[in-house]
């Protein structure tokens, strides 16, 4: 996807997150993150938005810590979130393609990295806000959802910090039925290795629409939301070890 498309989705998902959080109320429980209330979701995501904006606008060449979460609630917190989200969208829109700053996943450029990462960061947390209203809906555009699956499998879980490990090697295949995208994830006692191929045997296959798979792989929908074929233990391994945490 192009940078402009990622920025478009970042803008839309952030607006949806804020609107959904406002309808739910900041004291509502977030079903997908049992320890959180909506206020925690807004504080966290707003903090991440400001953290990302600092790299884009200040050009930090190495890791730079976030400023922390505010002690805000209610309408004041929603206003703070919307302001920070808007600043991030503007910063990425106005940044030159030659932007040089720190990034933690391979990408064509730092601007491309931050636009993609923040679009999916926001989309996943928009699903969290939905859960506070009672249901997570797999309503993302197929091409955006497939892009997010690719970032998760080929990017986030290619890092050494991934906890998806198993002493017995296994192969997990992920098949998006609406976009025809296929990922083959090789699991072992090392970080997962994902290739974009349909070849070879797989111990387990997850299939469904790109949006269903996106949310299931991010543990925002239950495994029952997609079709699981083969060894369900491999799917459960993913469910139990794949959580991405802020640290």
């Amino acid at each position: 996807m192009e940078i402009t498309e990622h920025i478009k989705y970042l803008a839309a998902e952030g607006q949806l997150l804020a609107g959904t959080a406002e309808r739910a109320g900041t004291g509502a429980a977030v079903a997908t993150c049992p320890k959180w209330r909506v206020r925690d979701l807004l504080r966290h995501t707003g903090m991440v938005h400001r953290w990302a904006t600092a790299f884009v606008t200040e050009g930090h060449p190495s890791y730079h810590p976030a400023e922390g979460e505010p002690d805000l609630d209610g309408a004041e917190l929603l206003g703070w979130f919307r302001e920070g989200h808007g600043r991030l969208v503007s910063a990425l829109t106005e940044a030159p393609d030659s932007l040089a700053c720190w990034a933690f996943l391979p990408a064509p450029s730092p601007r491309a990295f931050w636009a993609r990462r923040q679009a999916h960061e926001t989309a996943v947390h928009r699903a969290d806000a939905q859960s506070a209203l009672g249901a997570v809906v797999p309503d993302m555009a197929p091409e955006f959802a497939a892009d997010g699956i690719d970032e998760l499998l080929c990017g986030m879980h290619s890092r050494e910090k991934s906890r998806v490990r198993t002493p017995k090697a296994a192969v997990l295949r992920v098949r998006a039925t609406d976009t025809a995208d296929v990922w083959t994830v090789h699991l072992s006692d090392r970080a997962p290795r994902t290739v974009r191929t349909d070849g070879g045997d797989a111990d387990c296959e997850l299939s469904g629409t790109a949006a269903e798979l996106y949310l299931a792989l991010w543990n925002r929908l239950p495994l029952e939301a997609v079709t699981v074929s083969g060894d369900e233990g491999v799917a459960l391994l993913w469910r139990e070890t794949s959580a991405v945490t802020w640290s």
Side-chain angles (χ1 to χ4, degrees), residues 17-243:
L17 194 165
T20 304
E22 189 168 25
R23 289 194 299 276
T26 58
V30 178
T32 49
C33 301
K35 296 182 179 180
W36 276 5
R37 299 284 172 174
V38 168
R39 66 176 63 90
D40 302 304
L41 173 64
L42 289 170
R43 290 168 180 170
H44 168 77
T45 312
M47 176 266 292
V48 173
H49 285 168
R50 283 167 166 74
W51 177 70
T53 299
F55 287 101
V56 176
T57 59
E58 300 171 23
H60 297 295
S62 58
Y63 174 79
H64 189 79
E67 292 185 359
E69 299 177 7
D71 185 20
L72 300 175
D73 204 350
E76 190 176 7
L77 174 59
L78 279 157
W80 175 85
F81 173 85
R82 287 182 166 118
E83 179 187 25
H85 170 250
R87 286 181 181 177
L88 175 59
V89 171
S90 295
L92 286 166
T93 300
E94 297 166 6
D97 289 334
S98 59
L99 171 70
C101 66
W102 179 79
F104 61 84
L105 293 177
S109 69
R111 182 176 180 239
F113 163 78
W114 284 109
R116 186 190 202 195
R117 176 80 290 277
Q118 290 308 300
H120 292 298
E121 173 82 12
T122 307
V124 170
H125 287 316
R126 191 262 286 188
D128 291 327
Q130 280 186 326
S131 79
L133 286 177
V136 175
V137 182
D139 57 357
M140 297 167 185
E143 65 274 12
F144 178 65
D147 180 77
I149 295 169
D150 195 76
E151 189 214 33
L152 179 65
L153 298 180
C154 300
M156 300 294 279
H157 280 288
S158 69
R159 301 179 297 167
E160 283 301 314
K161 68 186 300 181
S162 174
R163 296 185 302 109
V164 184
R165 310 285 175 113
T166 174
K168 181 182 178 181
V171 176
L172 172 66
R173 182 156 294 136
V174 177
R175 186 183 304 276
T177 54
D178 52 347
T179 65
D181 288 292
V182 180
W183 296 264
T184 300
V185 187
H186 296 270
L187 304 174
S188 67
D189 59 357
R190 311 180 83 175
R193 180 176 63 86
T194 299
V195 292
R196 294 292 301 268
T197 179
D198 196 9
D201 294 331
D203 298 286
C204 178
E205 178 170 301
L206 306 181
S207 61
T209 67
E212 290 167 343
L213 289 167
Y214 178 93
L215 292 169
L217 289 166
W218 272 105
N219 299 324
R220 264 57 184 192
L221 281 178
L223 284 174
E224 291 77 17
V226 300
T227 300
V228 181
S229 305
D231 184 356
E232 292 187 5
V234 177
L236 290 173
L237 171 70
W238 180 272
R239 172 68 48 164
E240 293 166 359
T241 62
S242 65

